[in-house]
Amino acid sequence: MHAIRTITWLTFREAWRRRMVLAALVLGLLFLLLFGIGFSLINSNMREHGTSALQLRFSYNLLMVAGLYVVHFLTVMLAIFASVDTIAGEIASHTIQAIVTKPVGRWQVVLGKWCGYAAMLMLYLALLSGGIVGTVYLLVGYLPPNPAAVLLLLLEALVLLSLSLLGGIYFSTLTNGVVLFMLYGVAFIGAWVEQIGALMQSHAAVNIGIITSLLMPVEALWRRAAYLMQPTVLNSMPSPFGGTSPPSQAMVLYAAGYAALALGLALLSFRQRDL
């Protein structure tokens, strides 16, 4: 366990020393500032025009979930960009050999790196999602239904992190990144196909969306989180913030198993990888 803790700490420090991660943090803080200013101005304008209390609550919820959608996208990008080079790059530069020749198991190297990046993503997501929800609460005293649903955004980051480490064992950095982005793109399009198919009562379109969610469950986790954090009336139309075909709790369990399986395969595959 000491070796895993050491690699976790070193990975965490390395990740935060990268300018890419620093840039993501700075831009995230800038986004929170702009969100707070924009939300305050919109709220003042609505109150000046005599918007009803019910409409105000719907507007608050819509703006907050829209902000969380940006957080979802930033977390997805950071999960990919921060970890895509961690195995593939070290294999290509042969720096990984300096680690695996020490009395440290290969599986400990992979698990330590996974824990380091997972801690970084958890803190990043806590800062941004907590900033969005906290800003809305401080300004207008509104909390969404099921605010704990933001934890699903952490699960989607862990899915991508596990896939990134697994792909890095077999692919180059560039190929690994392309594969991850393509899978995410397929899931994104499939989610819209499923929502529109549910609205048009097309079972074939819904099934296509389900298949893409099984292939890459990240977008399904976001739709589940957005669905739980919105009133029912706001989930009646297809949009990035809800949907007419919300993923079930079974999809959350599937995504957790998906991440665990990808991590397990990464641990096993790296032991057998010829370095």
Side-chain angles (χ1 to χ4, degrees):
M1 291 300 294
H2 177 70
I4 296 176
R5 288 197 300 269
T6 300
I7 294 173
T8 297
W9 174 242
L10 291 175
T11 301
F12 183 84
R13 291 185 61 187
E14 178 188 1
W16 282 103
R17 280 200 302 264
R18 292 183 179 182
R19 291 186 178 181
M20 174 188 61
V21 177
L22 178 61
L25 178 61
V26 171
L27 291 174
L29 292 174
L30 178 61
F31 164 69
L32 289 179
L33 177 62
L34 293 176
F35 176 83
I37 295 173
F39 185 92
S40 180
L41 292 175
I42 292 173
N43 178 51
S44 298
N45 183 266
M46 288 190 298
R47 289 184 178 277
E48 289 176 0
H49 287 79
T51 306
S52 68
L54 181 61
Q55 289 176 320
L56 283 174
R57 289 180 64 84
F58 284 163
S59 299
Y60 296 156
N61 188 275
L62 182 62
L63 290 170
M64 186 189 61
V65 175
L68 289 173
Y69 182 70
V70 177
V71 173
H72 145 75
F73 183 75
L74 292 175
T75 304
V76 166
M77 295 299 103
L78 184 61
I80 294 176
F81 282 119
S83 64
V84 71
D85 190 51
T86 186
I87 297 293
E90 292 184 2
I91 291 176
S93 63
H94 303 290
T95 56
I96 195 70
Q97 295 175 354
I99 300 176
V100 298
T101 54
K102 299 181 183 298
V104 177
R106 290 192 178 190
W107 69 272
Q108 292 176 311
V109 174
V110 176
L111 185 58
K113 288 180 176 293
W114 187 92
C115 291
Y117 283 113
M120 181 201 68
L121 291 168
M122 180 174 63
L123 291 176
Y124 185 77
L125 180 60
L127 173 65
L128 293 190
S129 61
I132 293 293
V133 176
T135 296
V136 175
Y137 182 75
L138 289 175
L139 290 176
V140 297
Y142 175 79
L143 281 177
N146 306 303
V150 295
L151 292 175
L152 295 178
L153 303 187
L154 176 60
L155 179 56
E156 70 178 14
L158 297 182
V159 168
L160 286 168
L161 174 59
S162 300
L163 274 180
S164 178
L165 294 184
L166 177 60
I169 296 172
Y170 294 103
F171 306 129
S172 67
T173 299
L174 180 59
T175 303
N176 192 25
V178 169
V179 169
L180 289 172
F181 273 110
M182 291 297 292
L183 286 174
Y184 176 72
V186 168
F188 181 83
I189 296 299
W192 276 97
V193 170
E194 181 180 353
Q195 291 185 72
I196 295 173
L199 185 65
M200 304 298 294
Q201 298 184 347
S202 171
H203 296 293
V206 171
N207 289 335
I208 290 175
I210 293 174
I211 291 172
T212 58
S213 294
L214 294 175
L215 182 64
M216 169 62 86
V218 169
E219 194 67 18
L221 290 173
W222 158 251
R223 290 195 292 123
R224 176 70 180 174
Y227 176 80
L228 292 174
M229 288 189 291
Q230 292 190 106
T232 304
V233 66
L234 294 180
N235 286 309
S236 59
M237 293 296 292
S239 76
F241 316 135
T244 52
S245 180
S248 66
Q249 183 64 28
M251 180 56 72
V252 177
L253 299 177
Y254 171 81
Y258 187 103
L261 177 61
L263 177 60
L265 289 175
L267 297 175
L268 180 62
S269 300
F270 194 60
R271 292 180 58 187
Q272 302 171 350
R273 177 69 156 81
D274 183 12
L275 301 176

